[in-house]
């Protein structure tokens, strides 16, 4: 992984985009000597988002298993359908 200063990144932005897009390079941009942001290719971003979604799904599954009082919006709506409809119509 390459690390460069924000000043250098500004001066070479198009090159950095090409390196991330075509070579799959991950580039860290530093501000005041500390990592601030990263430029990554779209494939890396999609992979990261898929991993986050998988983690979120697993967390939700565990929360449902551990919580006997868990309910869904659909269940509440089915239980109180007419009551909720009337409340929204009167707004």
């Amino acid at each position: 992984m390459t690390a460069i200063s924000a000043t250098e990144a500004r001066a070479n932005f198009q090159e950095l985009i090409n390196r991330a897009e075509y070579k799959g390079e991950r580039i860290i941009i530093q501000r005041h000597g500390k990592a601030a942001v990263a430029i990554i290719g779209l494939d890396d971003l999609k992979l990261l988002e898929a991993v986050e979604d998988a983690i979120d799904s697993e967390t939700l599954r565990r929360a449902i298993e551990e919580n006997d009082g868990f309910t869904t919006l659909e269940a509440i709506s089915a239980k109180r359908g007419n009551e909720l409809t009337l409340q929204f119509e009167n707004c």
Side-chain angles (χ1 to χ4, degrees):
M1 208 172 325
T2 304
I4 62 169
S5 71
T7 303
E8 185 180 344
R10 256 187 246 104
N12 300 300
F13 193 63
Q14 187 60 48
E15 178 195 345
L16 297 176
I17 290 172
N18 288 338
R19 286 166 51 185
E21 182 178 9
Y22 297 113
K23 295 180 181 178
E25 194 171 338
R26 298 171 180 169
I27 302 157
I28 303 294
I29 299 174
Q30 298 176 333
R31 183 181 288 160
H32 306 294
K34 295 181 182 179
V37 296
I39 297 176
I40 62 172
L42 195 55
D43 288 341
D44 280 348
L45 177 61
K46 288 177 182 179
L47 180 59
L48 177 61
E49 288 176 340
V51 169
E52 287 176 336
D53 288 346
I55 290 169
D56 289 346
S57 295
E58 180 58 30
T59 301
L60 177 60
R61 272 194 288 278
R62 267 191 259 128
I64 291 169
E65 290 171 3
E66 294 172 4
N67 185 354
D68 292 335
F70 179 82
T71 190
T72 64
L73 182 57
E74 290 81 11
I76 293 169
S77 181
K79 202 177 221 183
R80 300 180 163 210
N82 292 335
E83 182 182 327
L84 291 173
T85 303
L86 291 174
Q87 286 178 358
F88 287 114
E89 287 176 354
N90 292 329
C91 290

